[in-house]
Amino acid sequence: MPHGTSSICSTLNTPKYRRIDEPEELYAHEVNKTYIEYLRMCIDRAYTGADRWIKILQHVKPYDINIQKEVFEKLVFICKKMNDEEKIRIKNEIRYEIFRHRYFEDADWSMPQEVLHEYECVMNKIVVGEKIYDYLYIFSHVYDFPLLNPIPYSKEENTEIHNQNYILREEEINARIKKFKEKGYSIDRLIQLAVKEKYDIVGEVLAQFYCDGLFDEKVFCSLMENDKEGKYVYDYVSYLYRKGIIDLSEVIEKVKSISDNKNLLTNLISLEFVEDYENALIVKENEDIKKMYWSRNVRLRISDKAEHRVFIWAINECKKYGSFNTYLELLYDIKDKISVQELYKATLEISDIKSDVASSMTDYYLKEIFNILQQNFIDDDEKCAELATLEWMCRNVLEWEHMKCMQKIMKDDPTFYALLVSIIYKADDNENIDEEKRKLANKVYSGFDKAKFCPTEKDGEVIYENLKKWIEKFKELLINQKQERLFGNLVGRLLAYSPIGEDGYSPCEAVRMVIEEYYTDSLKTAYVVAEENKRGVHMVDSGKSELILHQRYQKNAEALQERYPYTADIYFSISDNYRREAEYERKRAEDEW
């Protein structure tokens, strides 16, 4: 304490503030004036940059119409100094904005018609030197085709309005194509510009509207010359092939004579619906094309008229040239076209196919295919064992509940489970662990961790004699592996997944008897941890749910304590854990408030 006073405070009992200027009130018109000046500054520095003007157009809509007119005047003047490529970008941006605001005319953000009329006038004042640029917008995608006067959106009649606008789009494209031909403009130049600007549906629009649904040699050759990737060529041929206009084999021969684009060739061959594999286009191709064909991320097209042998041919070819994902996809697609035995045999071949990166559908295909096979062969010991091997191979993709054959193998016999234990855990003699075994342990651990089952359980029932036999064999295996110390921990972890007993309490009677016979502290601890982990992710509710669990487990323990004291002790421990957690959560909730 300071001498001569009972206060520990210094002489500065109150804070001292430095002088500041009082804030001035700012009015809305002053803020708007700032925005206007900022806009003018942006306009002055936009120069002839198309990207800058497009950004200005996207942000100028909230301004007063007179300010927008000022922007438009400057834009029209600057556009005279731009090249045609920049002009058409700005012009198409304005066209799209007109379409968007007229289509969603009831939206809060939509501009009134008088303002949109000004936009339309500005668009017409932007004149390109090469008139072909004005036709590029006809290649815009269907869903956002920039009609200047679309039928406005209505939630009640959305489908009908969509169809009406689709008709308006076709009329607009037909009118523009007719005018294009009347003017005698170059289709080669139009294709060149459209490909360069990367419009979405160049090939389809040309096939449907410019060529009137007929194959045009000149258009085809122009697309081949300008479209190096082959995307638009594929769209062009695909449209005509779907309409039954062209002979696909003849077009493929033309492609081969003009280009060595293997990707385009593979995609065109993929258009064919295979009916007779002996005459299929892919059969005539070399090994490289076959590998690309069977590995592509496009479903195989097989005709509804195809015979059974076509599906068997497809399986064999995909196995030889395809990938893991395409093979699975094929099996899923034709699973109803072949017998269960054939599906089983084809599925076993998965182990011989080099696995690639799993797609988003891989787990679904595997689950559906395995579900069919499991239902048919789970009682066939030999086939079940082979399927279990496949399930284990796919353990990083399949969930444990979908590995039914592996569940059966582990439930019936502890040998495989003990083998996993020997790989993952060290022996009692402190064996030296080399790098190879460490890597193996890391690979199999995920599958071991998924394995959560009650030994010998079948259809929700556990027979004591079978369970005891399983436990004894498992213990013997651990002794032979010099891992007896793990027995209680591992058994406790598994027994927690026991079904409910006939009296309505957990675990079932057979498991209670085993616990009473083999009870150890390690078994108890493992059982408690496994049981509590079964709860999974949950909401925090101030300890209410924990209190309910405490009461439920306490009731369960009280029902067992007379005949099964060790089992009851486990459930009393779980109940006490939830009671403490409930008290903690309740106190934490009170402290937060």
Side-chain angles (χ1 to χ4, degrees), residues 73 223 237 277 359 487 489 503 554:
E73 290 176 6
L223 282 169
V237 175
Y277 73 86
S359 71
F487 175 75
N489 184 286
D503 56 3
Q554 185 179 40

Side-chain angles (χ1 to χ4, degrees), residues 102-166:
R102 282 180 176 164
Y103 183 64
F104 297 106
E105 63 176 10
D106 293 335
D108 296 337
W109 46 264
S110 181
M111 293 186 288
Q113 288 299 321
E114 56 269 21
V115 177
L116 294 175
H117 178 71
E118 291 294 331
Y119 273 70
E120 198 167 347
C121 291
V122 171
M123 183 186 71
N124 293 329
K125 289 178 183 179
I126 300 175
V127 181
V128 293
E130 189 176 3
K131 299 302 180 182
I132 295 178
Y133 276 95
D134 279 330
Y135 294 85
L136 289 175
Y137 75 91
I138 66 173
F139 300 117
S140 299
H141 207 281
V142 177
Y143 61 80
D144 59 357
F145 187 84
L147 291 165
L148 291 180
N149 294 288
I151 306 298
Y153 171 81
S154 172
K155 189 174 182 180
E156 291 76 18
E157 303 174 355
N158 186 31
T159 303
E160 182 180 350
I161 289 171
H162 174 78
N163 294 335
Q164 291 175 346
N165 281 325
Y166 187 82

